[in-house]
Amino acid sequence: MAGREWSRREFLGLGAAFGLALAGCAPQPAGQTSGAGGGDRPRYGGILTAWTGGDPPNYDLHQNSTYMVLWPLAPCYNLLVQFDPQDPNRVIPDLAERWEVSPDGKVYTFYLKRGVKFHHGKPFKAEDVKASFERIIWPPRGVVSPRKGPFQVVDGIETPDDYTVKFVLKRPNPSLLPNIAQGWNVIYPKDILDAKGDMKNDVVGTGPFKFKEHIRGVSIELVKNTEYHVEGRPYLDGIKYFIIPDLNTALSAFISGQLLMYRPRLKSDAEEARRQLGDKVVVQTVQGYSFDTLNVNARRKPWDDPRVRLAVSLAIDRAAAIQVLAQGDGVAGGFMPAGGQWALPEDELKKLPGYRPNKAQELEEAKRLLAEAGYPNGFKAVMLTRKGADYEPISVFLKDQLAKVGIDASLDVQESAAAFDRLNRREFDLAPWGHAIALDDPDAVYGEFYLCNSVRNYSGICDPEVDALFERQSQTVDVNERRRLVWEMEKKAIVTQSKIILGWRVDRTIHWATVRNYRRHPSLYNNQRMEDVWLAEG
């Protein structure tokens, strides 16, 4: 690594080694379009109407992990660096205009954009980056930071002047830039953090849109930031997110034109919109970073017994889960995204318990394990279940699957906010859930979910061997050797059953053809700022 600014060619070369393209280049100038729905000249004006499934529990992106917070608030913020809106495999500047890396790979120096103001008038400076990332990496007492795991390699953050920030690392780390670029890691104003301690009740960023109004259960409305620091942006006058928990109602709202953008959970909903609207609708499909899972709380009996957890995994027919829950529109996989560069090869996955093709044999093995654990006749269990058509089907499916081995599971249905609260407090036996990740990176995935001290390690399972392998792969620059270590880590971690993965989903965004210059990324959590999106007439 060279201790100087890097050319775009050098960044792309580094990306080939790390498995991600990195670009120290400027954003597209105003007037240039590309990607889905692009191709003619942008126009200014109009309100983008979009769907969200529920109210955010609060407004603090750093402390949350549901799209219900990120989608409606991401347009109000900027990141230090970002994933290119038109290429999800490239990291490009945002509030950092450029950056350089020291020869030993242990110091990342970011040079910040000048003339940027927060929505309340405070000038943006290096102190805001330092305060935001110190809060993410070393959260103060009372602050929950779900994504601190990937940043434990950071030894300190320095600000030599108002427009320079240095991340000093304990060792080289090939995943630092993409983890910084996660859509969650927005930059907050230091003065509000100092005064209030969190951003649960405030939405104050530097982004292209300003927060206007939140009517609980109805909508969240944003308006154009006329002093935005990117010339010519945004194109839209505003964005209005309608809160519609019922998916049938949401689909009807999209087809009627009330919503211009919607994320259907099922393929059939996208097909119905296409059938009724024809070429008036655009369907964007990606192999997503969303997965259906069962969280097992190993802090409670009988789930502290690995034989019981393994029996549950053996009882679940993953092929049936994909058919029932995703209409066949998904892929079996482990902890890393299916089809991604770090995923276990299919032949290796099929050797693991729960994924083997002879399901009848696995069911018999599950019954034998339960008998060995002292439950020859099964037992009763309770599944914490989020209320709504987007969530309850997972629990209903799993209730049927567990009954095959004598586990009688009842559903404890709770509103999303209450369900999240109990999940975070670990007050559950079983918790069927839909999760998503921000990027296909082992540091990000394991750091968030599967290490002994991961904030979202809901199971409480701790395997020191997995943690040791994580440390080794995290500092391995050679991508082939790193992949080998990740596969070894996967094989050990999956059998602990800290999460039982039912399947990885194919994801879709549908929008009216009048919505231009938006590209759906594999992650739900990236490219949600909408500063390049515009509305055509008609």
Side-chain angles (χ1 to χ4, degrees):
M1 296 185 177
R4 54 180 172 80
E5 296 177 51
W6 292 0
S7 69
R8 183 171 184 272
R9 177 177 295 178
E10 289 170 317
F11 270 104
L12 293 176
L14 180 68
F18 289 178
L20 181 80
L22 311 173
C25 58
Q28 295 179 31
Q32 182 176 342
T33 63
S34 60
D40 49 352
R41 190 166 183 81
R43 63 184 286 269
Y44 288 92
I47 305 295
L48 175 67
T49 53
W51 169 84
T52 183
D55 291 285
N58 60 65
Y59 301 148
D60 195 336
L61 275 77
H62 291 176
Q63 297 199 67
N64 277 282
S65 55
T66 170
Y67 75 91
M68 296 175 189
V69 177
L70 188 136
W71 283 6
L73 301 185
C76 299
Y77 291 99
N78 286 103
L79 306 162
L80 185 59
V81 296
Q82 64 175 322
F83 285 99
D84 186 338
Q86 296 300 337
D87 184 350
N89 296 314
R90 294 178 63 217
V91 172
I92 65 172
D94 198 4
L95 288 174
E97 290 186 314
R98 55 190 174 90
W99 59 87
E100 62 186 34
V101 184
S102 63
D104 63 1
K106 294 171 65 174
V107 179
Y108 282 68
T109 302
F110 297 91
Y111 300 97
L112 306 182
K113 192 171 187 177
R114 297 170 185 259
V116 178
K117 290 195 301 184
F118 284 97
H119 297 161
H120 66 324
K122 176 191 177 299
F124 161 72
K125 294 182 180 179
E127 65 177 12
D128 303 302
V129 177
K130 178 179 170 69
S132 295
F133 273 96
E134 285 186 341
R135 184 174 189 260
I136 292 168
I137 301 170
W138 305 290
R141 187 176 183 85
V143 172
V144 176
S145 181
R147 288 157 292 277
K148 69 178 183 179
F151 295 109
Q152 297 314 296
V153 68
V154 177
D155 199 34
I157 301 174
E158 301 173 357
T159 54
D161 58 55
D162 283 346
Y163 297 98
T164 306
V165 177
K166 290 187 176 185
F167 282 66
V168 181
L169 310 187
K170 301 170 186 174
R171 51 176 170 71
N173 177 255
S175 295
L176 183 70
L177 278 172
N179 274 294
I180 289 175
Q182 288 193 47
W184 293 103
N185 297 330
V186 299
I187 304 302
Y188 285 145
K190 182 178 184 295
D191 61 328
I192 296 182
L193 288 178
D194 287 346
K196 298 190 176 182
D198 62 45
M199 297 291 287
K200 290 184 176 181
N201 300 304
D202 297 272
V203 183
V204 182
T206 59
F209 297 92
K210 294 183 176 181
F211 182 85
K212 179 183 177 182
E213 184 179 40
H214 175 195
I215 303 174
R216 292 196 63 82
V218 179
S219 64
I220 297 172
E221 191 169 359
L222 314 177
V223 296
K224 180 175 184 172
N225 177 9
T226 58
E227 298 180 281
Y228 190 49
H229 52 87
V230 177
E231 185 179 355
R233 307 293 170 85
Y235 297 116
L236 300 168
D237 287 336
I239 310 174
K240 190 167 187 175
Y241 296 86
F242 286 94
I243 299 165
I244 309 176
D246 182 77
L247 302 187
N248 290 327
T249 303
L251 179 61
S252 297
F254 177 82
I255 291 172
S256 71
Q258 179 187 359
L259 297 177
L260 294 177
M261 183 176 284
Y262 175 50
R263 176 193 166 238
R265 185 171 175 85
L266 298 176
K267 177 173 64 174
S268 58
D269 287 350
E271 291 172 342
E272 178 63 16
R274 172 79 80 178
R275 186 187 69 81
Q276 293 200 38
L277 299 174
D279 291 342
K280 293 179 181 178
V281 66
V282 175
V283 179
Q284 296 194 43
T285 304
V286 295
Q287 176 58 60
Y289 295 165
S290 306
F291 58 98
D292 294 324
T293 187
L294 175 63
N295 296 287
V296 180
N297 192 348
R299 301 171 185 81
R300 295 183 175 186
K301 292 185 178 298
W303 311 109
D304 59 338
D305 190 325
R307 294 170 297 184
V308 174
R309 299 197 302 270
L310 179 56
V312 169
S313 181
L314 292 167
I316 297 170
D317 187 332
R318 287 158 173 83
I322 291 167
Q323 286 296 323
V324 172
L325 300 175
Q327 299 179 337
D329 211 23
V331 184
F335 292 162
M336 296 304 299
Q341 66 166 329
W342 308 106
L344 271 177
E346 185 178 2
D347 59 340
E348 291 296 319
L349 188 68
K350 287 183 176 179
K351 295 176 185 177
L352 298 179
Y355 294 89
R356 296 176 301 215
N358 190 334
K359 205 63 215 174
Q361 187 178 66
E362 290 206 320
L363 284 171
E364 290 305 311
E365 185 179 349
K367 293 174 183 176
R368 177 181 59 78
L369 285 168
L370 288 176
E372 286 182 5
Y375 304 99
N377 300 313
F379 56 88
K380 294 182 181 295
V382 178
M383 290 194 288
L384 175 64
T385 302
R386 290 174 70 182
K387 184 178 182 179
D390 209 11
Y391 313 110
E392 292 177 55
I394 303 176
S395 292
V396 173
F397 171 80
L398 287 171
K399 176 180 173 64
D400 177 68
Q401 295 287 295
L402 298 186
K404 295 176 182 177
V405 294
I407 299 175
D408 180 12
S410 60
L411 276 58
D412 179 10
V413 181
Q414 300 286 331
E415 296 286 351
S416 280
F420 263 110
D421 188 47
R422 285 179 50 184
L423 185 74
N424 289 328
R425 294 202 311 263
R426 282 40 172 183
E427 294 178 358
F428 67 93
D429 291 333
L430 300 173
W433 217 266
H435 290 306
I437 57 172
L439 65 153
D440 184 7
D441 173 76
D443 283 10
V445 174
Y446 275 78
E448 185 170 345
F449 284 113
Y450 303 113
L451 303 182
C452 294
N453 294 320
S454 294
V455 172
R456 299 182 74 192
N457 179 354
Y458 300 119
S459 72
I461 293 171
C462 176
D463 187 336
E465 288 187 37
V466 170
D467 279 37
L469 282 165
F470 175 85
E471 288 295 323
R472 287 177 60 193
Q473 66 79 31
S474 180
Q475 55 192 296
T476 302
V477 173
D478 180 271
V479 70
N480 291 319
E481 174 60 15
R482 189 182 186 200
R483 185 181 293 112
R484 186 192 68 78
L485 290 169
V486 171
W487 288 355
E488 186 180 347
M489 180 171 64
E490 280 274 274
K491 290 176 185 177
K492 288 185 178 295
I494 288 172
V495 297
T496 68
Q497 315 304 335
S498 59
K499 277 191 191 300
I500 299 173
I501 308 295
L502 308 184
W504 289 82
R505 286 181 173 266
V506 171
D507 282 336
R508 288 172 180 79
T509 291
I510 58 176
H511 58 81
W512 283 69
T514 52
V515 178
R516 304 295 177 87
N517 211 30
Y518 174 79
R519 178 173 179 179
R520 171 62 196 264
H521 283 205
S523 173
L524 296 175
Y525 305 136
N526 300 326
N527 195 28
Q528 299 296 334
R529 191 184 301 159
M530 306 297 180
E531 75 175 60
D532 299 316
V533 173
W534 55 280
L535 298 179
E537 293 183 286

